[in-house]
Amino acid sequence: MAELTMRERMLAGELYLADDPELARDGVRAAALSHRLNTMDPTDGAARRELLTELLGGFGTGSEIRPPFHCDYGYQTTIGARTFANYGLVCLDVATVTIGDDVQIGPNVQLLTPTHPIAAGPRRDKWEAALPITIGDNVWLGGGVIVLPGVTIGDNTVVGAGAVVTRDLPPNVVAVGNPARVIRQVEP
């Protein structure tokens, strides 16, 4: 069996080196498209939608992302229908980031999939990996929320402003704090 490229290793969720030429090309593409998005006329919704459709792996009907928006690759992120992301979304999509329908994302939210080895040697040698993030339907992430690698947030869950989500949250709850903890159920 042929050895996997670093890009193939990244997409498979394995340790990889990010200085791979294919990954550099993909990163430059995402940076260029993000720059265009972040500097375009804010009243040109059709052009912004076209650009986001080109950048992202999926961009649902009626969804909106207010610039600035930053991502690693773009094609690793899918956003469902009628989702709204306020200013300053950072989506480090080394692994897949799946955002459901009708999600509300406050300003300055960070969705962070990359991980690095704990051991100093491999980290110094620049090995890294990533774990996917999944955000269910009708979730509300308050301003400044940080979601860490490998986290799934269940449908209808509300995450309070400034929370750091370090592990999965079930559906239909309110979670706050650092680390985020469930404080109550969401009323039906």
Side-chain angles (χ1 to χ4, degrees):
M1 184 189 297
E3 188 170 323
L4 297 176
T5 67
M6 289 298 159
R7 183 177 190 274
E8 290 168 336
R9 291 175 65 114
M10 181 193 86
L11 294 173
E14 298 178 14
L15 284 170
Y16 72 98
L17 296 170
D19 64 357
D20 176 76
E22 280 184 290
L23 291 175
R25 180 200 68 222
D26 291 350
V28 166
R29 173 194 168 272
L33 290 171
S34 296
H35 175 73
R36 283 179 43 206
L37 173 72
N38 294 333
T39 57
M40 71 187 325
D41 180 350
T43 64
D44 193 349
R48 196 167 63 242
R49 175 156 198 72
E50 184 178 320
L51 195 68
L52 284 163
T53 300
E54 181 181 351
L55 173 62
L56 301 176
F59 190 57
T61 303
S63 290
E64 179 181 351
I65 298 175
R66 287 193 174 164
F69 170 72
H70 300 283
C71 63
D72 280 322
Y73 299 108
Y75 57 77
Q76 290 273 77
T77 297
T78 59
I79 297 176
R82 301 169 306 279
T83 288
F84 174 78
N86 216 321
Y87 305 107
L89 175 60
V90 173
C91 187
L92 300 187
D93 59 349
V94 174
T96 58
V97 174
T98 305
I99 300 171
D101 297 335
D102 303 299
V103 174
Q104 300 293 312
I105 299 175
N108 300 313
V109 166
Q110 299 176 51
L111 307 175
L112 312 175
T113 69
T115 65
H116 300 278
I118 298 299
R123 194 173 62 249
R124 185 176 37 254
D125 293 339
K126 307 301 183 211
W127 287 98
E128 59 184 76
L131 297 168
I133 291 174
T134 302
I135 308 223
D137 295 336
N138 200 38
V139 167
W140 175 19
L141 302 177
V145 165
I146 299 172
V147 180
L148 296 185
V151 166
T152 295
I153 298 175
D155 294 348
N156 306 311
T157 287
V158 175
V159 181
V164 178
V165 186
T166 61
R167 58 185 67 179
D168 292 354
L169 293 174
N172 304 306
V173 298
V174 175
V176 299
N178 180 6
R181 67 192 190 318
V182 174
I183 59 168
R184 69 180 174 96
Q185 296 291 309
V186 171
E187 296 296 321

